Amino acid sequence: MRFSGSLFFFFMLSALLYPGEESSSLAYLNTLRQKSGLIPLQENRLLNHAAASHANYLVLHQGMGHLEQHGHKGYTGETPSERVVHHGYASKDVMENIAVNAKNGASAVDELFAAIYHRFVFLSFDKDQIGAGSAETEIYKRTQNAYVYKLGSSKLNLLCQKTFVPVSGVIYLQNVCKKSDLLLPQALYENQQEEIKSKNAKVVLHPYPGQQGVMPAFYNERPDPLPDYDVSGYPVSVQFNDLYYTTVRLKSFRLFDEEGREIPMSRILTHANDPHQRLKKTQFALMPIKRLEYGTTYRAAFEAEIDGEPYHKSWKFTTRSFKEKLYRVEKEETMIKAEPGSTVILYFVPRSGRDLLLRYRSSKGLKVTLIDQNTLKVSIPQQSYGEATVKAGGRAVRFR
């Protein structure tokens, strides 16, 4: 999150889904879904418009959440449901994900997958449509950019465009469509959801088995499943398709490094202990308290009893690595010998769950890029003389 002083004028750019960055980010999202056993989400023009309008609203009013305030410029509806029907979508049964201040569309997807509640939105069993939009300002602001994603159901959207004559003895749902007085047979509504669920896997794991380049860290989300930590390890999750399973009783959920040592200090998040009551009874998350290491293969092991039958699953994934040499910075002062024109990665190992790089300084023409809130990429100029320094998080790295 980035902050700046008050600015009275700014220039804002906005975009719907278009060939390029955003469409590639949706392709990336669908790749993650498909490798997890889920069907790809199909682009919907109306959801695109609703997503783009809310992204505009967030940047214009420097917001970060899912609500809009009536009377404000750019207002198209207080809630995600109201905004999609404003743009012509027939069903109110939608979900919304938002990332602010992401480097690009792909990074926005990665950040939302690292946030467990938002991950489960992207990995929904009963959604098959998506719209995306973004907005940004060229002036340094608290909300520099916003990426908004809207997920809907093609089956329910078509259902909400029909008319049903009430019949005695049939249970109906109301206020689930753009026409709020439209009565939908509950059984038909549920049948349409089940039709989409039936096209998806029975169990979804994330990171998916064999996944490479997994982010090693989780920072924050709203609401925050780990409010007492600003930085922790990337969550590992298991979710069961409730079309096939009813009762899941967890026995154990563990994570091991490539040496076979169990990762200690992990919180297991379930429907029963979720502080924000977002998880379903068929969703489970292992939250490592400490960051995972770069370039490391981990093994997750999950054991449960499902509808009275034993279930065991073990799978591996590998965290992100770099072509550049990586240095773990733990001491107050570190000396590195580096060649002019080279690039290195500095990983400032968190000393606590609150230890973030809020700012950094460099000298002698060093080019520094923030990879995440504990990691810097440093490029050393071709013509370099003497000692150059990077200072961050109360630690100094000196280059010779």
Side-chain angles (χ1 to χ4, degrees):
M1 187 181 299
R2 296 172 291 184
F3 296 88
S4 66
S6 298
L7 294 170
F8 296 99
F9 301 97
F10 67 95
F11 180 67
M12 185 170 66
L13 303 173
S14 64
L16 297 175
L17 187 64
Y18 58 88
E21 180 191 343
E22 286 179 311
S23 59
S24 65
S25 77
L26 286 186
Y28 176 48
L29 166 58
N30 275 330
T31 295
L32 294 177
R33 279 180 57 91
Q34 288 177 282
K35 289 189 174 181
S36 299
L38 298 170
I39 59 175
L41 300 169
Q42 300 300 317
E43 178 191 350
N44 179 274
R45 178 179 57 85
L46 301 176
L47 294 177
N48 279 345
H49 286 290
S53 71
H54 188 53
N56 276 329
Y57 180 92
L58 293 177
V59 175
L60 181 63
H61 299 289
Q62 291 297 283
M64 295 184 178
H66 298 281
L67 301 180
E68 293 186 6
Q69 188 170 336
H70 188 273
H72 281 192
K73 185 177 180 180
Y75 174 87
T76 56
E78 181 181 2
T79 66
S81 295
E82 292 175 1
R83 293 193 290 274
V84 296
V85 299
H86 171 86
H87 287 278
Y89 200 69
S91 170
K92 291 183 178 179
D93 190 346
V94 296
M95 306 177 81
E96 181 178 82
N97 262 352
I98 299 170
V100 298
N101 297 336
K103 295 176 183 176
N104 50 49
S107 292
V109 171
D110 279 336
E111 290 174 13
L112 290 167
F113 264 92
I116 193 63
Y117 300 132
H118 294 76
R119 174 191 300 179
F120 284 138
V121 170
F122 273 158
L123 295 178
S124 295
F125 288 107
D126 61 356
K127 298 292 183 287
D128 65 351
Q129 289 187 323
I130 192 169
S134 67
E136 62 180 351
T137 171
E138 292 185 338
I139 304 299
Y140 193 74
K141 302 281 285 186
R142 183 184 71 165
T143 301
Q144 193 79 13
N145 62 52
Y147 290 85
V148 179
Y149 303 87
K150 304 273 193 180
L151 281 72
S153 163
S154 62
K155 301 292 184 182
L156 299 184
N157 192 47
L158 289 174
L159 196 63
C160 283
Q161 298 175 47
K162 298 180 179 181
T163 301
F164 300 90
V165 178
V167 177
S168 177
V170 175
I171 300 175
Y172 291 86
L173 302 175
Q174 193 172 2
N175 200 33
V176 294
C177 301
K178 182 176 182 180
K179 298 177 181 178
S180 58
D181 58 343
L182 179 66
L183 297 177
L184 286 185
Q186 180 176 330
L188 184 57
Y189 180 87
E190 294 173 351
N191 177 265
Q192 296 300 292
Q193 288 183 309
E194 290 175 356
E195 187 172 336
I196 296 177
K197 290 179 182 180
S198 69
K199 299 177 182 179
N200 289 308
K202 294 182 178 181
V203 184
V204 168
L205 314 172
H206 191 84
Y208 59 78
Q211 184 171 346
Q212 303 286 318
V214 175
M215 294 174 63
F218 159 65
Y219 289 102
N220 290 302
E221 70 176 311
R222 294 183 181 181
D224 195 340
L226 293 178
D228 43 343
Y229 291 87
D230 290 328
V231 56
S232 56
Y234 192 83
V236 182
S237 63
V238 178
Q239 57 178 340
F240 296 86
N241 190 332
D242 61 12
L243 179 63
Y244 303 102
Y245 305 111
T246 303
T247 304
V248 181
R249 188 169 69 85
L250 178 66
K251 289 189 174 181
S252 68
F253 197 176
R254 306 166 72 187
L255 186 64
F256 302 86
D257 65 17
E258 51 196 17
E259 302 298 326
R261 296 170 299 207
E262 183 172 4
I263 303 302
M265 298 175 62
S266 295
R267 291 185 187 175
I268 310 302
L269 203 61
T270 69
H271 170 78
N273 65 15
D274 178 9
H276 304 289
Q277 300 181 325
R278 297 296 182 94
L279 265 61
K280 299 177 181 178
K281 293 182 179 180
T282 52
Q283 294 176 329
F284 304 87
L286 183 151
M287 313 285 292
I289 295 303
K290 292 185 177 181
R291 275 186 64 128
L292 303 183
E293 293 293 332
Y294 283 113
T296 302
T297 297
Y298 291 89
R299 181 177 68 87
F302 182 91
E303 182 180 359
E305 184 180 277
I306 307 176
D307 294 337
E309 297 293 328
Y311 177 87
H312 303 268
K313 186 65 179 180
S314 177
W315 75 102
K316 295 181 179 181
F317 62 90
T318 303
T319 52
R320 179 181 182 181
S321 59
F322 302 93
K323 60 180 181 181
E324 301 87 356
K325 187 170 182 178
L326 182 143
Y327 293 89
R328 298 176 89 257
V329 181
E330 299 182 78
K331 300 178 181 179
E332 289 189 6
E333 190 164 310
T334 301
M335 188 70 70
I336 294 175
K337 184 178 180 180
E339 295 294 327
S342 64
T343 300
V344 299
I345 306 298
L346 302 181
Y347 168 40
F348 290 78
V349 181
R351 293 166 293 192
S352 73
R354 301 290 189 188
D355 191 7
L356 305 179
L357 300 183
L358 301 178
R359 60 184 61 85
Y360 56 83
R361 292 185 297 163
S362 62
S363 67
K364 296 286 183 71
L366 296 178
K367 182 180 178 181
V368 182
T369 305
L370 189 71
I371 292 178
D372 66 28
Q373 291 178 278
N374 298 107
T375 313
L376 301 177
K377 181 178 182 179
V378 181
S379 297
I380 300 159
Q382 192 67 47
Q383 293 186 339
S384 180
Y385 304 96
E387 184 178 279
T389 305
V390 172
K391 293 184 178 181
R395 284 169 275 187
V397 179
R398 305 190 188 281
F399 293 90
R400 283 184 179 175

